[in-house]
Amino acid sequence: MQEFILPEGLQNIPDGTFYDCDSLNSINLPQGIKSIGRYAFCRSGLKAIDIPAGVNSIGSYAFYGCSLSSIKLPTGIKTIEAYTFMSCDALTGITFPDALTTIGIGAFSDCDAFTTIVLPEAVTTIGDKAFSGCKGLTTMILPDAVTNIGDEAFSQCVALTTMVLGPNVGSIGAKAFANCAMIKDFYCYAQVVPKTSADAFQSSFVDYATLHVPEVSISSYQAETPWSEFGEIIALTGEETGIESTESKAKRPLHYYTPNGLQMATPCKGLNIVRHADGTTTKIIRR
């Protein structure tokens, strides 16, 4: 079975409908579908799916272990449930709805193909193990609305070099950034030091990394474990925080691009790829 077409008039994909259907490569969902049940496509061979705009509920484990390379979530989705996309090893791109508020437990854990993720501005909660084991993830930018980061949320992200937290983060769970040994720059815009588990950066060698925080809060971060363990704590420099090399700052920008390659006239909020007149590229973060 390589393609399956569902009948018109169907409103729900029941729990476990295509569980373990490893020969299912693609499926055409009718426009009347409102919900996708738990385990619906779990461990199937699904590589492509077009989710209708009317879907407002996707159950936990729905796409666990699928071969999807990209997916666009409909506007009605406000929560990505537990383990929905866990172990989707080929997933490189996902379009999030603007109304999304919560990334559930293990929602994207072990999705190795991600390199950069920019979440929508409405997201407030990053659940336990939400992005744990995303071995290809190098840059992560959290929206300003995020207040809570769960236990082991980014643990085992072994390629993560740059992390950006907004001004409203109030709590960071146990081992949230454990075993992220490549962290180089950690940006935290919160003036009040977040309540942070002592083992949040366990085995991440932050003594070789730089922590960027508001200038008025440097002494507060220096006095709090585990923040005090960073090798250097310096002041954020302004609205536009570069993660490019010092030499590149003087280069004249030629074009701006989103992380997905869409060209823009001016930088947007979040991560921007800058291509300079001399052919080189750098990255900037605009908040």
Side-chain angles (χ1 to χ4, degrees):
M1 178 172 59
Q2 292 187 345
E3 184 176 6
F4 193 91
I5 300 176
L6 296 171
E8 294 296 330
L10 189 66
Q11 294 189 353
N12 175 56
I13 308 294
D15 294 352
T17 301
F18 297 99
Y19 183 90
D20 226 7
C21 292
D22 55 6
S23 61
L24 177 67
N25 298 140
S26 64
I27 192 166
N28 185 13
L29 299 183
Q31 290 303 310
I33 293 290
K34 301 295 182 185
S35 64
I36 297 173
R38 299 170 68 246
Y39 297 93
F41 297 97
C42 180
R43 294 174 56 184
S44 70
L46 194 64
K47 295 181 179 179
I49 188 171
D50 185 7
I51 302 178
V55 172
N56 52 36
S57 173
I58 299 175
S60 57
Y61 293 92
F63 296 99
Y64 172 96
C66 287
S67 300
L68 295 167
S69 59
S70 64
I71 192 168
K72 180 179 181 180
L73 296 177
T75 58
I77 300 297
K78 295 184 178 180
T79 298
I80 298 179
E81 301 291 348
Y83 308 106
T84 300
F85 297 99
M86 181 179 181
S87 297
C88 289
D89 293 339
L91 192 61
T92 58
I94 184 164
T95 302
F96 297 101
D98 291 340
L100 186 70
T101 61
T102 304
I103 308 294
I105 297 172
F108 294 99
S109 58
D110 297 326
C111 289
D112 292 344
F114 276 131
T115 56
T116 300
I117 304 171
V118 181
L119 298 172
E121 292 300 313
V123 172
T124 61
T125 302
I126 309 295
D128 295 350
K129 298 185 177 181
F131 296 96
S132 67
C134 290
K135 295 180 173 63
L137 186 63
T138 60
T139 303
M140 186 74 201
I141 300 171
L142 298 187
D144 289 354
V146 170
T147 57
N148 300 300
I149 299 173
D151 295 348
E152 300 181 53
F154 297 95
S155 64
Q156 305 289 337
C157 289
V158 295
L160 186 65
T161 60
T162 303
M163 186 76 203
V164 183
L165 309 187
N168 296 306
V169 172
S171 65
I172 299 174
K175 300 181 181 179
F177 300 97
N179 296 294
C180 297
M182 296 299 290
I183 287 181
K184 181 180 178 182
D185 288 287
F186 199 101
Y187 298 84
C188 185
Y189 283 76
Q191 289 193 11
V192 177
V193 180
K195 182 180 179 181
T196 312
S197 173
D199 59 359
F201 299 101
Q202 184 182 82
S203 301
S204 290
F205 306 113
V206 292
D207 48 326
Y208 293 99
T210 300
L211 174 63
H212 307 253
V213 298
E215 186 172 9
V216 297
S217 305
I218 290 178
S219 59
S220 297
Y221 280 90
Q222 289 173 332
E224 293 281 350
T225 303
W227 304 100
S228 59
E229 296 171 1
F230 276 83
E232 187 176 18
I233 303 178
I234 63 175
L236 292 161
T237 57
E239 181 187 51
E240 195 171 79
T241 300
I243 58 174
E244 71 271 23
S245 64
T246 303
E247 294 82 8
S248 70
K249 294 179 181 179
K251 296 176 182 176
R252 180 174 175 269
L254 182 61
H255 297 297
Y256 296 97
Y257 297 86
T258 67
N260 293 327
L262 179 64
Q263 186 174 341
M264 303 173 293
T266 58
C268 66
K269 196 170 185 179
L271 179 67
N272 298 262
I273 309 300
V274 184
R275 179 169 293 168
H276 300 277
D278 62 1
T280 60
T281 59
T282 55
K283 302 174 184 177
I284 60 170
I285 299 168
R286 180 179 286 277
R287 299 198 68 83

